[in-house]
Amino acid sequence: MAAAPGGVFSIQILARMEALLRQKYGRPDLVLADHFDFIGGTSTGAIIAALLSWGASVEVLEKFYLDQSHKVFGRKTWLKRFRFKFHAKELNQLLRDYFSEEGRPALLGTRRLRTLYLCVMRNASTGAPWIITNSPHAKYNQAHLADNNLNIPLYQLIRASTAAPVFFQPEEIEAGGQNWMFLDGAITPYNNPAFIMYLTATQSCFGNNWEDGVDQMRIVSVGTGRKRVRFSKLHAAQINVGDQLSHALLALIDSNNQHQDLLCRTFGRCQWGESIDTEVGDLIAKEFSESDHRRFLYSRYNHNLTADEMKEKFPTSFPWIAWMGFPFGKNWAVRLPNRAFKSSISPDGAALPASPRSAFILSLSLKNCWVFSWP
């Protein structure tokens, strides 16, 4: 399961998924960590993924965000905002308190994580993306290493993945006797981590060596909605340096998200998803054949937002809510047909080949977080 930017749309999809699984297995207390084997995310998606992997229900997940977001995303004084927009100290303390064991911060290697967990961040000290998992087979998770990643406090890794430039200060982590500075994973190619999670699960260099194939693995990607990044001004002569700066980073992040989605639809057999663009279309497989050599089944739930919907869901008077992806006011309308959703998640659905060991991978976009699963 993979996660990206968070919002009520994603939470409604997760809630529907949880309800369907509870109904299917006759377990009213089932949580997504009972069904999925691999959960991961980037940026605030790393928080969502960690909560789910920890065993939180979707109800607990929603309450956690709505109860705590005012503290974390409250405005700083103008003087302090010359450095960073929001309160890193409050977010650090919140994560430290929740992800703890016996009064101490839980480590990445904790047994409290009920699934394989992944989060993505950028090591600003070395200039490289860090794709971190709690897998005991990962190269830098070996017990003999002085900088064994499994010994890093979990809350610090989550905070590092959420250290959005301008919004929060970088997170500093000590490992192997050195201090490393980390920034938000959204500025790596893996803001949408679905495809890198597939590679992490299957490629020998990551040590997990899971089997793939349409009869073995399924990826379900859930987003919070996409707003195209574009200039509002009509003529090139009107564009200034500020317009360029505000456009460039968001445009790159959006393009990376689309590229990762395209990779999943190309290497996987796409069963559901809104159109990527007018040339590519949705790439939904109309016919299944044994000769196409697709590596997994794939569905993508991410509504393309219109300008009017953005105005309705994200009022400018509450920018921190918009950044988190939580609409303020009317409930979000899930626009996906229930029929299509059921067929893509239910093992009894006609779209799922019969197999004694089908793998389900869920990807949710909560400022970009995704989740993978093997039942």
Side-chain angles (χ1 to χ4, degrees):
M1 180 174 184
V8 170
F9 175 77
S10 294
I11 289 179
Q12 285 189 344
I13 293 294
L14 291 174
R16 184 187 295 180
M17 183 182 304
E18 188 177 71
L20 286 172
L21 290 171
R22 287 176 174 181
Q23 180 182 4
K24 172 180 173 56
Y25 294 111
R27 293 179 50 190
D29 60 343
L30 180 144
V31 295
L32 294 179
D34 294 326
H35 183 74
F36 293 101
D37 295 304
F38 189 4
I39 303 180
T42 302
S43 195
T44 54
I47 303 177
I48 301 296
L51 288 166
L52 294 176
S53 182
W54 197 260
S57 65
V58 177
E59 181 181 4
V60 170
L61 169 67
E62 183 174 8
K63 188 174 187 302
F64 176 91
Y65 261 80
L66 295 180
D67 287 353
Q68 304 299 334
S69 55
H70 285 277
K71 299 177 184 178
V72 175
F73 298 101
R75 293 288 187 158
K76 286 186 169 185
T77 64
W78 279 105
L79 182 61
K80 292 183 178 179
R81 284 175 64 188
F82 275 112
R83 296 189 65 209
F84 302 103
K85 194 170 185 179
F86 295 123
H87 302 277
K89 181 179 179 181
E90 285 79 358
L91 180 56
N92 269 35
Q93 191 61 50
L94 172 65
L95 295 173
R96 182 186 179 108
D97 290 344
Y98 191 92
F99 297 103
S100 63
E101 296 179 292
E102 300 177 353
R104 296 190 301 272
L107 305 180
L108 177 62
T110 178
R111 292 182 179 271
R112 285 291 306 274
L113 290 173
R114 295 166 57 174
T115 70
L116 195 59
Y117 171 73
L118 175 146
C119 62
V120 180
M121 62 208 71
R122 177 176 174 80
N123 188 329
S125 299
T126 64
W130 269 29
I131 302 159
I132 301 289
T133 74
N134 60 339
S135 170
H137 308 297
K139 181 176 181 178
Y140 294 106
N141 289 2
Q142 303 307 306
H144 68 276
L145 297 176
D147 56 350
N148 179 358
N149 289 334
L150 295 180
N151 294 329
I152 299 175
L154 177 61
Y155 85 92
Q156 284 194 291
L157 293 170
I158 299 171
R159 232 294 281 161
S161 186
T162 63
V166 179
F167 289 98
F168 294 108
Q169 69 184 44
E171 178 71 5
E172 196 169 315
I173 296 178
E174 190 278 329
Q178 297 185 61
N179 286 331
W180 309 93
M181 193 180 303
F182 292 91
L183 292 173
D184 196 315
I187 59 174
T188 72
Y190 314 116
N191 185 43
N192 173 344
F195 195 70
I196 193 61
M197 292 183 72
Y198 161 70
L199 296 177
T200 301
T202 59
Q203 300 304 297
S204 59
C205 57
F206 295 105
N208 296 303
N209 298 313
W210 289 5
E211 292 184 32
D212 61 5
V214 293
D215 60 343
Q216 293 291 329
M217 182 175 288
R218 175 187 294 273
I219 301 177
V220 179
S221 167
V222 181
T224 53
R226 179 196 178 210
K227 177 181 179 294
R228 286 180 176 268
V229 180
R230 64 185 82 188
F231 287 128
S232 58
K233 298 175 180 177
L234 300 179
H235 302 289
Q238 298 174 310
I239 304 300
N240 56 42
V241 173
D243 296 324
Q244 296 276 25
L245 290 175
S246 62
H247 176 87
L249 180 58
L250 293 177
L252 285 171
I253 292 174
D254 180 60
S255 298
N256 280 336
N257 286 343
Q258 294 299 95
H259 182 239
Q260 297 298 315
D261 185 20
L262 180 60
L263 286 174
C264 286
R265 298 192 196 206
T266 304
F267 282 79
R269 179 183 292 169
C270 184
Q271 297 180 290
W272 185 263
E274 292 198 16
S275 177
I276 291 179
D277 59 38
T278 56
E279 180 177 14
V280 173
D282 56 29
L283 294 178
I284 295 175
K286 303 299 189 294
E287 298 180 0
F288 295 162
S289 67
E290 297 300 324
S291 61
D292 61 7
H293 303 296
R294 301 303 173 97
R295 308 318 306 162
F296 47 83
L297 296 176
Y298 179 71
S299 299
R300 170 69 169 165
Y301 298 100
N302 192 47
H303 178 54
N304 290 319
L305 294 163
T306 65
D308 289 339
E309 286 173 326
M310 287 297 297
K311 290 178 182 178
E312 177 186 357
K313 306 303 180 183
F314 307 127
T316 56
S317 57
F318 294 92
W320 62 267
I321 297 175
W323 185 80
M324 285 301 299
F326 283 107
F328 190 88
K330 297 181 181 179
N331 291 332
W332 187 280
V334 176
R335 298 169 177 267
L336 302 174
N338 194 52
R339 168 189 53 77
F341 181 83
K342 280 189 174 182
S343 68
S344 71
I345 191 61
S346 169
D348 294 331
L352 179 64
S355 171
R357 180 173 167 73
S358 295
F360 294 87
I361 299 174
L362 170 65
S363 162
L364 40 138
S365 300
L366 298 134
K367 200 171 180 293
N368 279 345
C369 159
W370 297 62
V371 186
F372 281 62
S373 149
W374 293 71

